[in-house]
Amino acid sequence: MNITEAQLIKLKELFPEAFTEGNKVDWDKLRLTLGENIDTGKERYGMNWPGKADCFKTIQQPSIATLVPEREESIDFDKTENLFIEGDNLEVLKLLQKSYLGKVKMIYIDPPYNTGNDFIYPDNYTENLQTYLEYTGQVDSEGRKFGTNTDTDGRFHSKWMNMMFPRLFLAKNLLQENGVIFISIDDNEISNLKSLCNEIFGEENFLGQFVINTTPNARDYGHIGKMHEYCLFYAKNAYEAETNLIEDKEKTFKYKDSIGEYNIHPLYNSNVAFTNINRPNLYYPFYVNLDNEIEESFFEIGLKPFANSIEVYPPKSLKDNVQFVWRWGREKAASEVNKEIIGYKTTDGKFRIVQKMRTSAKVIRSLLLEKGYTSRRGTAEAEALFNKKIFSFPKPLELIKSFVIAGSSDNDIILDFFAGGCSSAQAVLEINEEFNTQRKFVCVQLPEPTDETGGAYKAGYKNIADIGKDRIRKAISKIQKERTKKTTKEKESLFGETLIKESDLGFKVFKLQTSNFKVWDANITKEPKAIQAALDLHIDHISKEAKQEAILFELLLKSGFPLTTQIEKLTLEGKIVYSIAEGELLICLEKELTHEVIKAMAEKQPTRVICLDEGFQNNDQLKTNAVQIMKSKGVLNFRTV
């Protein structure tokens, strides 16, 4: 995906008059269109730091990498929709831009906190893939190295922001319009991270900031005993964001009716982003019947006046006098009036419209102080799973589960591109099993070497990615053992079929590598002999080491299909053909194509067909006929690579 081109398309949709031929922006026309809403001053409100301009270059530079499947390290590879990707997350996020654009419901990340030695930083991050390959020992190098970011460095904060900005920018593209992101952080970079997120997501899409009690006993920092960390909570679009209630284990109820116990909750939306101006359909009056008191303090209500009634609108914000709106539209409210929506009279004689809340659930709170959220709990959970201490202070499962439940629903994709020991993957697996959902995780982790003096290295884990993969395996094994304890009656229906679909207990492993197709070197000397030599190298443009399945998945990504797309292996006229997404795309990677196999593919009438150029064996007549055969069957997108 070309990020710059995608941004230009969005701009052109809004301001077509500001574009000239060649898809160039006419800045003067754009300024005229926007009128006075242009800041031409030298001093502007915003955040700047050394290297920010290079961040945009990094974002715009396309990836020349690919993701190679590793079946041996996976579980249930052909069926699972969960992913673990080993590689640098910047490159991986670029590779996912086309196939996962707008498909991720929730992101949770626990990035490096920039404490001085906790993140690996490439000195030349504009050549990220090459640096990554050198770092992981896939190529020889005497040059660039990764190193820690020490607080004595003159660019201590800048380096961290240069690392974070492109990744957050690319991650935002993957979110659905109703998607949300949670980012764990501590005091070191909380202010900078919030400024970054305000710039990338927009200040208006800031939903809140969690304070998490990470230790019951304060850690002594000389002048203060620290007991908490933070988590920033943003939406891609606050108007569209969808979140869920979480379980309130200490919930008690004040009221009771014929259905059961309940509490009352105001029906108006207290989010100042929702007003009568931008949500007019949510602004209307209820009418309270003053002659009919249902029970003490509760009155009959309706959406039309009674003989003796009073109008009740949503209140205004006391802080800035903004007019709130109802959470429910008129049609939905009409179906629940005097059932789940009632009129309530306060002790001072005012009327409120409220909703009966019957569940032991609540909106997620900004203060997360329970014992289940401490670092000690996370460490104990990891030790119980591995039967030894592997790493220190992983995020506790209860914390991540709270975020996953609040931020996603059944069948949603949850992305964690700083996966570490993969607490997030285990949290998703356990939630699916507990609530009978089919959420999917995508975890990305750099194979950062473990400390040779630490418990992980001594246990055989040479890098953090290996720890993450093994935690997923152990979590799956744990759930499978617990599953066998359940009675068969819970799953059987009257027809002998399973009533409950068992959750996905597998994951596909992919690893970041250079493309299977040779990349043109644009830096070659501009001389005929040098150019001719480079052209000769590209006659066989597919790497000799490339395996057919690796080429297949690279073409899937480039064609915009997710890595979990169902693939069916067909045999047509003696040749292997891969059917993607129930025949929407056919890919044939045979090196000797025939007229018969081309005709057989065309007759299946897919939307697209891809073949190896090498498969035509320089037979131009066969290639020309292939194009015509495809057209005759309505296949207009036929390509060779």
Side-chain angles (χ1 to χ4, degrees), residues 254-268:
K254 186 177 179 180
Y255 305 101
K256 188 175 183 179
D257 61 13
S258 60
I259 297 175
E261 294 182 311
Y262 67 92
N263 287 327
I264 57 174
H265 185 74
L267 191 66
Y268 69 86

Side-chain angles (χ1 to χ4, degrees), residues 345-507:
K345 187 177 183 180
T346 64
T347 54
D348 59 359
K350 295 181 180 179
F351 288 95
R352 296 285 185 265
I353 304 301
V354 295
Q355 177 188 357
K356 294 180 179 180
M357 306 299 288
R358 301 182 182 278
T359 63
S360 58
K362 63 182 179 181
V363 174
I364 191 168
R365 302 297 194 249
S366 61
L367 283 176
L368 300 176
L369 307 178
E370 289 88 342
K371 291 181 180 179
Y373 297 145
T374 64
S375 299
R376 185 178 297 175
R377 177 64 63 88
T379 301
E381 290 165 347
E383 285 187 25
L385 199 63
F386 285 90
N387 292 319
K388 57 173 69 76
K389 187 172 182 178
I390 298 297
F391 47 89
S392 301
F393 309 122
K395 286 293 180 287
L397 291 173
E398 196 66 30
L399 175 67
I400 302 177
K401 283 181 178 181
S402 296
F403 293 150
V404 171
I405 291 170
S408 69
S409 299
D410 193 10
N411 293 309
D412 284 338
I413 297 174
I414 293 93
L415 170 65
D416 181 355
F417 53 90
F418 283 101
C422 287
S423 300
S424 57
Q426 184 177 351
V428 171
L429 290 169
E430 291 188 2
I431 287 172
N432 282 341
E433 188 69 9
E434 182 178 355
F435 296 102
N436 188 34
T437 57
Q438 298 293 330
R439 291 173 170 89
K440 299 104 176 170
F441 66 77
V442 177
C443 287
V444 184
Q445 177 56 41
L446 184 77
E448 181 182 343
T450 51
D451 182 358
E452 294 185 10
T453 63
Y457 188 89
K458 293 175 182 177
Y461 299 105
K462 300 302 186 256
N463 63 66
I464 293 176
D466 287 342
I467 297 175
K469 285 178 284 188
D470 206 34
R471 178 166 189 167
I472 298 173
R473 295 187 194 102
K474 291 181 182 299
I476 289 172
S477 177
K478 175 174 173 280
I479 293 171
Q480 286 172 332
K481 290 176 183 177
E482 293 170 350
R483 185 180 281 181
T484 58
K485 298 176 184 178
K486 294 182 179 179
T487 61
T488 307
K489 290 182 180 180
E490 289 180 336
K491 302 176 184 178
E492 288 184 353
S493 70
L494 294 173
F495 304 100
E497 299 176 351
T498 55
L499 194 61
I500 299 175
K501 182 181 179 182
E502 291 186 336
S503 61
D504 182 353
L505 294 181
F507 71 113

Side-chain angles (χ1 to χ4, degrees), residues 57-75:
K57 294 178 183 177
T58 302
I59 291 166
Q60 292 163 2
Q61 187 170 356
S63 176
I64 55 172
T66 189
L67 299 175
V68 177
E70 297 288 343
R71 284 183 173 271
E72 304 76 23
E73 298 188 48
S74 308
I75 294 177

Side-chain angles (χ1 to χ4, degrees), residues 28-43:
D28 291 331
K29 283 187 178 180
L30 184 59
R31 287 189 181 95
L32 287 171
T33 301
L34 295 174
E36 296 179 356
N37 295 313
I38 296 290
D39 191 345
T40 57
K42 291 183 179 180
E43 294 181 345

Side-chain angles (χ1 to χ4, degrees), residues 230-245:
Y230 308 96
C231 183
L232 294 182
F233 183 24
Y234 279 80
K236 185 173 185 180
N237 184 336
Y239 296 121
E240 303 289 339
E242 293 181 2
T243 55
N244 306 310
L245 302 176

Side-chain angles (χ1 to χ4, degrees), residues 10 26 113 204 215 344 442 444 457 539 549 609 611 633:
K10 291 179 184 177
D26 185 329
Y113 286 1
E204 69 279 6
T215 175
Y344 171 64
V442 177
V444 184
Y457 188 89
I539 292 174
E549 190 171 50
V609 174
C611 297
K633 296 296 182 180

Side-chain angles (χ1 to χ4, degrees), residues 475-625:
I476 289 172
S477 177
K478 175 174 173 280
I479 293 171
Q480 286 172 332
K481 290 176 183 177
E482 293 170 350
R483 185 180 281 181
T484 58
K485 298 176 184 178
K486 294 182 179 179
T487 61
T488 307
K489 290 182 180 180
E490 289 180 336
K491 302 176 184 178
E492 288 184 353
S493 70
L494 294 173
F495 304 100
E497 299 176 351
T498 55
L499 194 61
I500 299 175
K501 182 181 179 182
E502 291 186 336
S503 61
D504 182 353
L505 294 181
F507 71 113
K508 299 177 192 278
V509 176
F510 287 83
K511 291 185 179 179
L512 183 72
Q513 287 188 16
T514 52
S515 173
N516 295 292
F517 301 92
K518 294 178 183 176
V519 179
W520 180 262
D521 182 6
N523 297 317
I524 60 172
T525 306
K526 302 301 186 288
E527 296 179 358
K529 289 184 179 180
I531 294 173
Q532 183 61 54
L535 287 168
D536 289 341
L537 290 174
H538 280 263
I539 292 174
D540 295 323
H541 60 286
I542 299 177
S543 171
K544 293 181 180 179
E545 293 78 27
K547 296 180 180 179
Q548 196 170 92
E549 190 171 50
I551 297 172
L552 173 65
F553 276 99
E554 181 166 3
L555 292 175
L556 275 186
L557 278 174
K558 292 181 184 297
S559 301
F561 287 90
L563 292 166
T564 55
T565 303
Q566 290 299 307
I567 302 172
E568 184 182 2
K569 192 175 181 180
L570 307 176
T571 301
L572 301 178
E573 299 296 332
K575 304 293 183 181
I576 294 174
V577 176
Y578 297 97
S579 174
I580 315 300
E582 298 181 345
E584 182 179 343
L585 167 67
L586 296 182
I587 298 178
C588 182
L589 302 176
E590 294 281 2
K591 295 188 176 181
E592 291 185 15
L593 294 171
T594 63
H595 181 275
E596 289 74 22
V597 72
I598 290 168
K599 185 178 179 182
M601 286 191 290
E603 286 177 348
K604 288 191 171 290
Q605 295 184 311
T607 304
R608 290 182 276 178
V609 174
I610 299 175
C611 297
L612 289 183
D613 195 69
E614 181 184 356
F616 289 98
Q617 298 289 307
N618 296 320
N619 188 336
D620 293 339
Q621 184 178 357
L622 179 60
K623 184 185 281 189
T624 302
N625 288 339

